[in-house]
Amino acid sequence: MTSATATPPASAPAPSTTVRCDPGSDMAGGEGAAPRRPLTLAEVEPGSENERLGVARDSMLCNPLILKAELGKPQRNCYTLPGIDFAYGLYIERTDGGVPEAIGHWNTVKPRTHLVQEMPRDYIAMNRSALKAGYTTAREYNLYYKAKDIRRNDEHSRFHRCPPKLPADMTYGIKTQSCTPFFYLLHHRYQQLWMEQQRALTAAERVEKKKKEKVHETRTTFLRKNPLPPKEESFWHLPSLEKVKPHLSTLPDHKARKKAFSATH
């Protein structure tokens, strides 16, 4: 194991501090440090700092999972980067000429010529005409389409519709809602209003339910509403004795007799 103060081999060249850093390379040092490029097979030979046991292959140097970390140095990237003179990014060629050409003359855009747009077929009109001509099958309709090609009128196209006429002082957008009174929030006013609405709704539902309910009347409920007239009490006599007059009268006269019967009955 080598220590952090070990000097590099004499054959290894000293890193230059004036080499430009390539973007995308992982740097751990400050400005001016050389980019950490991928290892080469010459750097993993026996006796070097990055010595590997066994056969060294190029695929080992491009796999970050098996790449050996170097002591006191940042991690190398496993991507093959282009040369120092390579410019990263996308080159866009300027066609406007810059400020001098803008001051000298203006590049105006030529208006496009009006292209004659082919209107779509008017199948409603063709079907109406084919029906008037007496065609009813699909094959006859297809033959009629080929013979009579009717197109839609340009005036009915949606591209030529005039915009709607709006008032000059019209304001677009949605109106801002009024602010909620803070007093209602503190005193739970919305809860109280909701409870009152629910009570009124419940009472209305009960009344409606009572109207829909049908009560089946029985003889008892009917007699309670319409009681029978009371029966007049009468003395019962045998039919053979109804015409027999009394043989003994203990009352002095008829008035006394009537008075006695009315008192007891």
Side-chain angles (χ1 to χ4, degrees):
M1 179 177 180
T2 58
S3 61
T5 58
T7 58
S11 60
S16 175
T17 58
T18 59
V19 180
R20 189 189 66 170
C21 298
D22 293 339
S25 61
D26 300 331
M27 300 292 297
E31 296 182 358
R36 300 291 292 166
R37 295 182 176 275
L39 289 172
T40 60
L41 294 177
E43 295 178 342
V44 296
E45 293 180 352
S48 62
E49 183 181 359
N50 301 313
E51 180 182 357
R52 297 294 300 269
L53 298 177
V55 181
R57 297 184 297 272
D58 293 336
S59 59
M60 295 180 178
L61 309 178
C62 299
N63 191 346
L65 300 178
I66 62 175
L67 189 64
K68 182 181 177 182
E70 302 178 57
L71 183 62
K73 296 180 182 179
Q75 184 73 20
R76 293 176 181 267
N77 57 16
C78 298
Y79 301 100
T80 304
L81 302 178
I84 299 177
D85 298 335
F86 181 78
Y88 291 86
L90 180 64
Y91 177 75
I92 301 176
E93 184 179 0
R94 294 182 177 274
T95 57
D96 54 356
V99 177
E101 188 173 352
I103 296 176
H105 64 279
W106 294 94
N107 291 330
T108 58
V109 180
K110 296 180 180 180
R112 296 182 180 179
T113 57
H114 180 67
L115 301 178
V116 179
Q117 184 182 6
E118 184 179 2
M119 300 303 295
R121 280 184 167 185
D122 193 353
Y123 286 96
I124 298 177
M126 288 191 294
N127 292 343
R128 189 186 300 111
S129 302
L131 186 61
K132 291 180 179 179
Y135 301 116
T136 55
T137 62
R139 183 175 179 277
E140 293 174 350
Y141 269 70
N142 292 330
L143 295 176
Y144 188 83
Y145 292 160
K146 295 178 182 179
K148 302 288 185 179
D149 190 7
I150 303 176
R151 299 287 175 171
R152 293 184 182 179
N153 296 331
D154 192 14
E155 58 184 15
H156 297 290
S157 177
R158 62 184 180 90
F159 298 102
H160 296 275
R161 294 178 183 175
C162 298
K165 296 181 180 180
L166 302 176
D169 56 346
M170 180 178 178
T171 304
Y172 294 88
I174 304 175
K175 293 183 179 181
T176 306
Q177 297 181 358
S178 59
C179 299
T180 304
F182 204 72
F183 177 80
Y184 284 10
L185 299 177
L186 293 176
H187 290 262
H188 307 285
R189 180 60 179 169
Y190 292 106
Q191 179 185 359
Q192 297 173 5
L193 293 176
W194 184 81
M195 293 296 294
E196 292 176 1
Q197 293 176 0
Q198 295 301 316
R199 293 192 192 98
L201 181 61
T202 305
E205 289 178 354
R206 289 178 180 175
V207 174
E208 190 69 21
K209 187 177 181 180
K210 288 182 179 180
K211 291 181 179 179
K212 292 182 180 180
E213 288 181 353
K214 294 183 179 180
V215 180
H216 298 281
E217 292 188 355
T218 60
R219 179 175 175 80
T220 304
T221 56
F222 180 77
L223 292 176
R224 286 176 182 174
K225 295 180 181 179
N226 305 313
L228 296 175
K231 294 182 178 180
E232 296 182 359
E233 189 175 357
S234 62
F235 297 101
W236 180 80
H237 300 281
L238 291 173
S240 59
L241 302 177
E242 286 184 355
K243 297 181 179 181
V244 177
K245 296 182 179 180
H247 296 282
L248 181 63
S249 181
T250 58
L251 298 175
D253 53 2
H254 181 68
K255 292 183 179 180
R257 180 183 176 82
K258 186 176 182 181
K259 184 178 180 181
F261 277 99
S262 62
T264 55
H265 302 283

